[in-house]
Amino acid sequence: MDFTMTFYLRHYWKDERLSFPSTTNRSMTFDHRLIKKIWVPDIFFVHSKRSFIHDTTMENIMLRVHPDGNVLFSLRITVSAMCFMDFGRFPLDTQNCSLELESYAYNEEDLMLYWKHGNKSLNTDEHISLSQFFVEEFSASSGFAFYSSTGWYNRLFINFVLRRHIFFFMLQTYFPAVLMVMLSWVSFWIDRRAVPARVSLGITTVLTMSTIVSGVSASMPQVSYVKAVDVYLWVSSLFVFLSVIEYAAVNYLTTVEEQHRFEKTGKVSGMYNIDAVQAMAFDGCYQDSETDVDQTSFSLHSEEDSVPGRCTGSPSADSSHTKRRKSLGGDVGKAILENNHVIDTYARILFPIVYIIFNLFYWGIYV
């Protein structure tokens, strides 16, 4: 909540005591050594934290006196001053700051401050470039300040508008968050019986989003209210978290469904109606060329009964297994689609639509 500005502060006034006769009407220029011997305005910077006059190689002070007593007093100063910023729209925010100048000892009855050329008194470099902001506007204004113990004082303002660069935050914050949300949707397309795959994917995306939120919070202004980037990150984290909860619901409903079917038929309902999918889930070489297995359910067998149905590593078994994979390879995708839970089917459509709607509202409100 502060800014640092380096500028040339030029005072103009007329002091007839400093007038002198001159046939050429040329002014006289002095350095800082004469300042302590004459009167100069006692300007200070309101809300300043640090300030100093540059002194390399000598103090950057110039005094020019004209024959009629007109004086130009110029200093090169660097000032760090407070700026009361509102980060509610960070990093899509625009900040209005001002540097305020005022006489410390002389009130309006003793000294009047005004801009010599009005708003045109402020000249800036046309190519000012900041790492985080666009400088959109510079303007000069004036006003009054009242102090109960000393009265009214003239006050001058250097106003400027700063608009924050968004591209850095797009690369470092928004784009990674969108990728993590989209990555969490991949689990909706994984078979519901692939528990390790879906759980590990969900936990990984949740932890990654937590890392992104922590990293961004460490580099952001420490304020006690919600910022725009907080809204986006926490909503994105909610989507990632809900994708994990979605699979928890799918897994629970699948288990309940199997229990009901087992109670009715005495068989465990198979989630795969193609044997090749079962083979892929185990060791990649499952075959049952001599065993008739029901495509909608399979009976509970002991380990000894299932051994003859597995490949033995013989050339004939390898050949049979290869033919089996070729004949059923095209149906694997169909089997996975048919065995997905209805919640997964709805989630594939609902999650992206809701997230897109959220993005439309978010960017429409804050941009």
Side-chain angles (χ1 to χ4, degrees), residues 5 26 40 48 118 125 192 200 219 239 271 337 343 345:
M5 179 187 296
R26 295 182 59 183
V40 295
S48 66
D125 188 355
R192 53 176 167 168
S200 61
S219 61
F239 273 88
M271 299 312 301
L337 291 176
I343 297 179
T345 304

Side-chain angles (χ1 to χ4, degrees), residues 289-307:
S289 58
E290 298 179 357
T291 306
D292 184 14
V293 182
D294 191 351
Q295 291 190 358
T296 58
S297 63
F298 59 91
S299 302
L300 292 174
H301 299 283
S302 63
E303 183 64 23
E304 292 78 4
D305 294 336
S306 62
V307 170

Side-chain angles (χ1 to χ4, degrees), residues 36-270:
K36 295 182 180 180
K37 300 181 181 295
I38 64 172
W39 179 90
V40 295
D42 59 340
I43 301 299
F44 81 103
F45 302 101
V46 185
H47 306 307
S48 66
K49 296 182 177 180
R50 297 171 300 276
S51 61
F52 63 91
I53 298 174
H54 291 260
D55 56 0
T56 305
T57 59
M58 298 288 290
E59 290 190 18
N60 297 171
I61 297 176
M62 185 268 289
L63 182 70
R64 181 172 295 169
V65 182
H66 295 269
D68 58 354
N70 284 315
V71 180
L72 166 61
F73 176 43
S74 178
L75 307 92
R76 182 167 176 252
I77 304 175
T78 293
V79 178
S80 295
M82 295 173 56
C83 179
F84 300 100
M85 300 181 181
D86 181 11
F87 294 105
R89 303 175 66 90
F90 179 91
L92 307 169
D93 56 330
T94 299
Q95 304 296 341
N96 298 305
C97 298
S98 63
L99 182 64
E100 304 174 10
L101 295 80
E102 186 180 307
S103 172
Y104 189 81
Y106 304 106
N107 59 25
E108 65 170 348
E109 297 178 357
D110 302 321
L111 178 66
M112 292 188 62
L113 297 177
Y114 59 92
W115 295 108
K116 185 178 182 180
H117 302 293
N119 289 341
K120 297 181 179 179
S121 301
L122 187 62
N123 297 319
T124 60
D125 188 355
E126 296 181 356
H127 304 288
I128 293 179
S129 178
L130 301 177
S131 61
Q132 293 191 40
F133 294 95
F134 293 106
V135 183
E136 291 191 335
E137 179 184 349
F138 267 106
S139 63
S141 60
S142 59
F144 293 91
F146 176 75
Y147 300 94
S148 59
S149 57
T150 54
W152 290 89
Y153 289 80
N154 291 109
R155 181 175 292 184
L156 303 180
F157 301 89
I158 300 174
N159 307 305
F160 52 94
V161 179
L162 302 175
R163 181 167 57 88
R164 196 180 302 273
H165 292 284
I166 184 59
F167 189 68
F168 169 81
F169 296 95
M170 291 295 295
L171 292 178
Q172 300 295 326
T173 304
Y174 289 97
F175 188 64
V178 172
L179 286 182
M180 287 301 103
V181 174
M182 296 177 65
L183 183 61
S184 68
W185 299 340
V186 175
S187 65
F188 304 150
W189 299 88
I190 301 176
D191 194 273
R192 53 176 167 168
R193 275 307 176 194
V195 178
R198 295 190 65 162
V199 171
S200 61
L201 179 61
I203 297 301
T204 300
T205 52
V206 169
L207 293 178
T208 304
M209 279 302 304
S210 300
T211 303
I212 294 175
V213 172
S214 300
V216 172
S217 300
S219 61
M220 287 192 304
Q222 305 299 316
V223 294
S224 58
Y225 49 84
V226 177
K227 302 176 287 294
V229 68
D230 294 333
V231 174
Y232 196 89
L233 290 179
W234 284 109
V235 171
S236 298
S237 300
L238 179 62
F239 273 88
V240 174
F241 178 74
L242 289 178
S243 68
V244 179
I245 300 300
E246 185 269 349
Y247 179 62
V250 168
N251 187 270
Y252 173 76
L253 294 177
T254 300
T255 304
V256 173
E257 180 182 350
E258 287 186 353
Q259 290 178 350
H260 287 315
R261 290 186 179 181
F262 179 75
E263 291 174 358
K264 292 180 179 180
T265 63
K267 296 182 178 181
V268 179
S269 176

